[in-house]
């Protein structure tokens, strides 16, 4: 894929949001085959390069929007990714837990229970990575 300005911007933003180690690991595992490489190239340009880089909301707010959207729609793999981003943007485990708890009254306890289980797993992973 020819690397447009949006692609280059998206690539830098993806690394900023997720960290170099996470992006390198994902590129070597999930995105190492041609089909998934096409996917991440499109996502890098259109989602990270165009949407995440837009003015009007800071990155911290954008990560929370994604956490809420993922939790409300039961998108657990994306929730894990966006929780990781939210922590890197300065949200605390306590704040993210409160957001999820608050959502239980609006989208339902069962779906938020699943989101809380995913959050517990991501929080432990991130703490482990920071310690090691």
């Amino acid at each position: 894929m020819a690397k447009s300005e949006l692609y280059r911007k998206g690539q830098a933003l993806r690394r900023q949001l997720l960290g170099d180690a996470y992006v390198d690991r994902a590129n070597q595992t999930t995105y190492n085959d041609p089909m998934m490489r096409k996917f991440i190239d499109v996502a890098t340009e259109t989602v990270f390069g165009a949407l995440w880089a837009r003015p009007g909301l800071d990155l911290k707010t954008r990560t929370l929007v994604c956490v809420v959207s993922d939790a409300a729609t039961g998108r657990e793999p994306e929730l894990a990714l966006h929780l990781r981003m939210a922590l890197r943007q300065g949200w605390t485990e306590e704040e993210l837990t409160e957001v999820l708890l608050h959502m239980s009254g609006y989208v339902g306890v069962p779906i938020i229970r699943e989101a809380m289980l995913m959050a517990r797993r991501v929080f432990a992973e991130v703490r482990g990575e920071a310690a090691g």
Side-chain angles (χ1 to χ4, degrees), residues 41-83:
D41 284 347
V42 169
T44 298
E45 186 168 43
T46 60
V47 176
F48 291 102
L51 293 177
W52 279 86
R54 287 181 52 78
L57 291 175
D58 60 27
L59 294 178
K60 186 174 181 181
T61 302
R62 288 181 191 279
T63 60
L64 190 61
V65 168
C66 291
V67 166
V68 169
S69 173
D70 296 338
T73 58
R75 303 293 189 251
E76 288 187 18
E78 289 295 305
L79 176 60
L81 183 73
H82 291 125
L83 283 166

Side-chain angles (χ1 to χ4, degrees), residues 60 64 67-68 83 86-87 89-102 116 123:
K60 186 174 181 181
L64 190 61
V67 166
V68 169
L83 283 166
L87 290 168
Q89 290 304 308
W91 293 107
T92 66
E93 290 182 19
E94 186 62 31
E95 289 169 326
L96 293 168
T97 298
E98 283 302 318
V99 166
L100 294 173
L101 288 171
H102 185 76
M116 297 282 289
F123 296 163

Side-chain angles (χ1 to χ4, degrees), residues 10-31:
Q11 196 172 37
L13 202 45
R14 183 172 170 244
R15 286 188 174 279
Q16 179 183 346
L17 289 163
L18 289 165
D20 289 330
Y22 186 91
V23 169
D24 290 343
R25 188 170 55 250
N27 286 347
Q28 293 168 4
T29 56
T30 305
Y31 304 118

Side-chain angles (χ1 to χ4, degrees), residues 85-130:
M85 287 180 183
L87 290 168
R88 288 183 55 85
Q89 290 304 308
W91 293 107
T92 66
E93 290 182 19
E94 186 62 31
E95 289 169 326
L96 293 168
T97 298
E98 283 302 318
V99 166
L100 294 173
L101 288 171
H102 185 76
M103 290 177 64
S104 68
Y106 296 91
V107 299
V109 170
I111 199 165
I112 295 305
R113 177 186 177 276
E114 296 302 315
M116 297 282 289
L117 290 170
M118 177 57 72
R120 181 177 69 179
R121 200 167 25 239
V122 170
F123 296 163
E125 284 175 13
V126 170
R127 283 193 307 271
E129 291 165 5

